[in-house]
Amino acid sequence: MIADLTAEFGDRLHRREDCPDLPTLEIPPELITPVCTRLQQREETPCEQLTDLTAVDHSPRRPRFVLVYHLLSLAANRRLRLLAPLEGDHPEADSVTPIWPGADWLEREVWDMFGIRFRGHPDLKRILMPEGYDGHPLRKEFPQLGIDPGRHYREWDAGREG
Amino acid sequence: MSETSSRRTVELHWQPDLHEQPTILNVGPQHPATHGVLRVIVTLDGEEVIDAEPVIGYLHRGKEKMGENLTWHTWICHADRMDYLSPTLNTLGYCEAVERLAGLEVPPRAKFLRVILYELSRIFAHLVYVGTGALDLGAATVFFHAWREREKLYDIFDVITGHRMNNGFARIGGIQADITDEAAAKIHTFLSDFEQRVDGYETLLTNNRLWWQRTRDVGVISAERAVALGLTGPNLRGTGVCRDLRVHEPYAAYPEMDFEIPLGTRGDCYDRYLVRVEELRQSARIIRQAFDKLPQGEIYAEDRRFVLPPRERVVTSHDKEGVYPNQASMEEVIAQFKVVTDMKMPAGMAYRAVEGAKGELGFYLVSDGGNMARRLRVRSPSFNNLQALAEMARGRLISDLVAVIASLDFVMGEVDR
C-alpha cells in the first residue's frame, strides 16, 4: 500500500509503528499536497475517498497540532492514515479540496474548531459556530462551558430594541 | 386632498425580464421539510435553483469537546443523542471503537445481540425516511403507516433497554443486559408481518406515477462524484457503488450473516428510496438469522480493567415478596466505581467505523493513557452526505430541492454533533 510512496518520497515519510489498527504515515506538512495527489491518482489502490479529516491538539507537547487524514481505497478496500504535525499555535496547511472536493466542509470544521487555516480553500469560513464567534472550541485552552455563552442573545436583544 | 392622492400614486416598475436578478430565498432553520434545524440559502432564477448553500451548526452541542472532558464510559449516553433516530446504533459503534483501542474481544452472544440491536436501529431510522420522505412530497398516508411500525419498535426498545429512545444500552465490552423472553417474543411478533408492511409502503409509492414524477431523475449524482464528495451508506449505494461496512469491514457477528446489499443504478432520489426500502427487508432477514444462530454464554468480556461488573452483583433488588434475589457485593461496587471514573485506556489511537443508518459512522479516538480521551472525533455520515445537497439540487426546480433533502436522509443531530 505504501511501498511506492516511500520509493518516491524517501525518508521524509515516516511509518508509524505504534498504530496497529491502520497503516499510518507521518508526513511533513509541505508534503500534504504531493502525497495526497499521488495517492489519489495512482494506478493501483487509488485512494478515491477522503473519509475523514480532523486535527488533534497535543498541547502542551510540541508540535502542538497534528492533522489526521483517513483515506479509503474503495477498489482495494484498504484504509490509510496520514498524520501531519504542524508547528506553531496558529498554523497553516495546504488545502486538499482540489484533490477531494469532499474536504471542503471538513477543512472548514478544522478551521472553526482548531483555528488551523488552509491555503487554497475556496471559502474558508466557520461552519458549526456562528459567524463572528471568538475562539476555537476544540483547542485545549478553550473552556468546556464556552466563553460568554450569553453574548449572542444580548446582541440579539440589543438589536431588537434599537 | 391633493396630498392624499399623490401618496396613493404608486409607481409601478414593470419588469420585462424577471430573470435579470436572481432571487435569494432563505429556507429554514425552522422548516418542516428540512428535517431538523437546517437552513438553506437558495439562489433562484425564477423557479430554477442556481445554488443551494446549507448553513448548519444550529444543533451544535460540542459532543467532541464533551468527549475530552468525560470518562470513556460516561460518554456512551452522548452518542445516543447524535443520530437520535437510531440511538442504539451510535452507542454500539462508539463501544466498538473503544474496544479496538483497548484490544477487547466481545463474547459471541453479545456480538449476536449487537447485530439484532444494530438492525432494529436501522429499521427504526429507515422508517423515518420512508415516512417523512413521502410526507414531504405530499404522500401523507405512508407517514402514518411507517409510524405505526415505528411505534411498535419504540415499545420493543422499551422492553429490551428500559427506554423508548436514547437508551444508552451499549457497554464497553458487551451490552447492558441480556434479551428477555418477553422482548424476543415482541420482536418475533413485529417481524412476523414486517415484510407485508414494507410491501404495503411499496404499493403506495414504488409504482405510483406521482412518486415517479417527483423522484425519478431528480437529484442525480454520479458514482465518481459521490465517492469524491465523501458520500457513504444508502446515498452511495444508490449510485451503484457496492460499499457496505457490514460486509467490507465486518464487525460484531456480521461475518456469519447472510444478506444482500441492494444497489441503485441512476443515483437519483428514486434509487435511494429503493435501496432503503430493500434494506428494511434485509434487516428483518438479518435479525431472524441472528435469533436462529444466537449462542448461549456471557454478554460481557472478561477483562475487568475495562468492563463493568455484572449488574446483579452491583445492585441489590427485591421482588414483591421481599425476597432478595440479588445481593450486591461491596467489592463489585468499588470495581464498578473505578471502571467508570478511573479506567486507564492504553495510549494510542484507533479508528473504527460501523455501517450506520445514514452511512459510515466512524469514531477516531486518541488516548494519552488516561481516563478521558485526548481527542474523540466522530466522523458522522450525515455531515458528509449533506455536502452533496448543492450539486443534487442545482439546475432543478425549487420543489425538487425538497425531494433532494428528503432523499439525502440526514439527521441534524448527527451533522452538528
Side-chain angles (χ1 to χ4, degrees), chain B residues 12-182:
Chain B
L12 284 171
H13 293 282
W14 172 248
Q15 291 183 316
D17 187 7
L18 286 169
H19 297 262
E20 261 178 18
Q21 289 286 324
T23 317
I24 309 284
L25 180 71
N26 179 59
V27 182
Q30 303 296 343
H31 192 279
T34 55
H35 294 247
V37 277
L38 168 71
R39 180 178 166 212
V40 188
I41 301 170
V42 193
T43 313
L44 290 170
D45 177 6
E47 264 198 272
E48 188 189 320
V49 176
I50 302 172
D51 199 11
E53 189 198 351
V55 180
I56 63 171
Y58 292 93
L59 215 55
H60 178 60
R61 294 149 292 173
K63 291 281 179 218
E64 295 177 5
K65 185 80 176 175
M66 286 186 209
E68 294 172 10
N69 293 281
L70 291 170
T71 59
W72 298 97
H73 270 280
T74 46
W75 196 78
I76 291 175
C77 63
H78 286 277
D80 273 328
R81 284 143 180 89
M82 293 189 308
D83 178 359
Y84 39 74
L85 305 176
S86 57
T88 316
L89 198 154
N90 295 266
T91 49
L92 288 169
Y94 167 67
C95 288
E96 303 258 1
V98 178
E99 283 152 16
R100 175 174 271 200
L101 187 60
L104 267 180
E105 182 69 23
V106 179
R109 186 173 173 84
K111 285 185 177 175
F112 279 80
L113 291 175
R114 279 182 176 191
V115 166
I116 294 169
L117 290 166
Y118 274 127
E119 295 309 318
L120 284 175
S121 305
R122 197 178 318 280
I123 296 175
F124 208 35
H126 280 3
L127 283 177
V128 177
Y129 161 73
V130 174
T132 60
L135 182 69
D136 288 350
L137 301 184
T141 318
V142 191
F143 176 79
F144 294 105
H145 284 265
W147 242 250
R148 176 190 56 211
E149 265 68 70
R150 230 176 156 252
E151 189 57 36
K152 289 179 193 164
L153 272 175
Y154 272 127
D155 288 345
I156 288 172
F157 276 111
D158 196 5
V159 173
I160 302 175
T161 71
H163 292 268
R164 281 160 61 84
M165 68 185 289
N166 294 347
N167 19 46
F169 195 61
R171 291 290 180 275
I172 294 163
I175 56 171
Q176 194 209 336
D178 208 329
I179 202 157
T180 57
D181 292 342
E182 187 197 356

Side-chain angles (χ1 to χ4, degrees), chain A residues 21 49 51-52 54-55 57 59 61 70 74 77 79 102 105 109 125 127-129 137 139-140 142, chain B residues 53 56-57 60 65 68 227-228 230-231 243 248-249 350-351 360 364 368 374-375 377 379 387 417:
Chain A
D21 62 328
Q49 196 171 55
T51 304
D52 192 25
T54 189
D57 183 352
S59 61
R61 270 182 281 153
H70 282 98
L74 284 161
N77 189 21
R79 287 182 193 276
W105 283 21
E109 191 184 345
K125 58 182 180 186
I127 185 162
L128 294 177
M129 305 309 285
R139 292 170 78 99
K140 287 288 178 187
F142 192 93
Chain B
E53 189 198 351
I56 63 171
H60 178 60
K65 185 80 176 175
E68 294 172 10
V227 168
L231 260 66
R243 173 82 185 161
H248 291 98
E249 290 180 11
Y351 180 80
E360 176 174 341
Y364 172 61
D368 283 343
R374 160 65 65 170
R375 176 90 172 91
R377 161 75 179 162
R379 188 269 180 211
Q387 269 197 94
R417 282 155 286 143

Side-chain angles (χ1 to χ4, degrees), chain A residues 6-135:
Chain A
T6 38
E8 188 171 337
F9 296 99
D11 53 1
R12 296 166 78 194
L13 304 180
H14 167 56
R15 173 86 195 251
R16 285 277 293 258
E17 302 297 339
D18 57 339
C19 305
D21 62 328
L22 290 178
T24 305
L25 278 180
E26 198 172 296
I27 59 172
E30 64 271 17
L31 279 189
I32 289 173
T33 303
V35 167
C36 288
T37 313
R38 182 83 188 81
L39 281 168
Q40 196 250 353
Q41 289 174 353
R42 65 180 173 185
E43 295 279 309
E44 280 175 43
T45 65
C47 293
E48 304 101 332
Q49 196 171 55
L50 173 69
T51 304
D52 192 25
L53 160 56
T54 189
V56 184
D57 183 352
H58 280 292
S59 61
R61 270 182 281 153
R62 298 278 155 176
R64 179 173 172 183
F65 291 105
V66 178
L67 285 178
V68 187
Y69 298 76
H70 282 98
L71 312 180
L72 171 68
S73 169
L74 284 161
N77 189 21
R78 300 276 290 276
R79 287 182 193 276
L80 178 66
R81 183 191 287 135
L82 299 179
L83 301 175
L86 304 174
E87 297 290 338
D89 278 343
H90 299 278
E92 275 196 10
D94 287 327
S95 169
V96 293
T97 43
I99 305 165
W100 295 287
D104 184 346
W105 283 21
L106 294 167
E107 286 179 353
R108 275 175 66 189
E109 191 184 345
V110 172
W111 152 247
D112 192 3
M113 291 292 135
F114 291 93
I116 299 171
R117 288 196 160 276
F118 290 91
R119 283 182 295 262
H121 188 282
D123 188 14
L124 193 67
K125 58 182 180 186
R126 287 189 180 271
I127 185 162
L128 294 177
M129 305 309 285
E131 282 295 321
Y133 190 82
D134 295 326

Side-chain angles (χ1 to χ4, degrees), chain B residues 193-212:
Chain B
D193 62 348
F194 184 66
E195 271 88 349
Q196 289 155 20
R197 301 293 189 187
V198 178
D199 292 344
Y201 314 143
E202 286 219 87
T203 54
L204 289 165
L205 295 175
T206 305
N207 293 319
N208 181 332
R209 179 182 282 268
L210 286 171
W211 182 251
W212 275 41

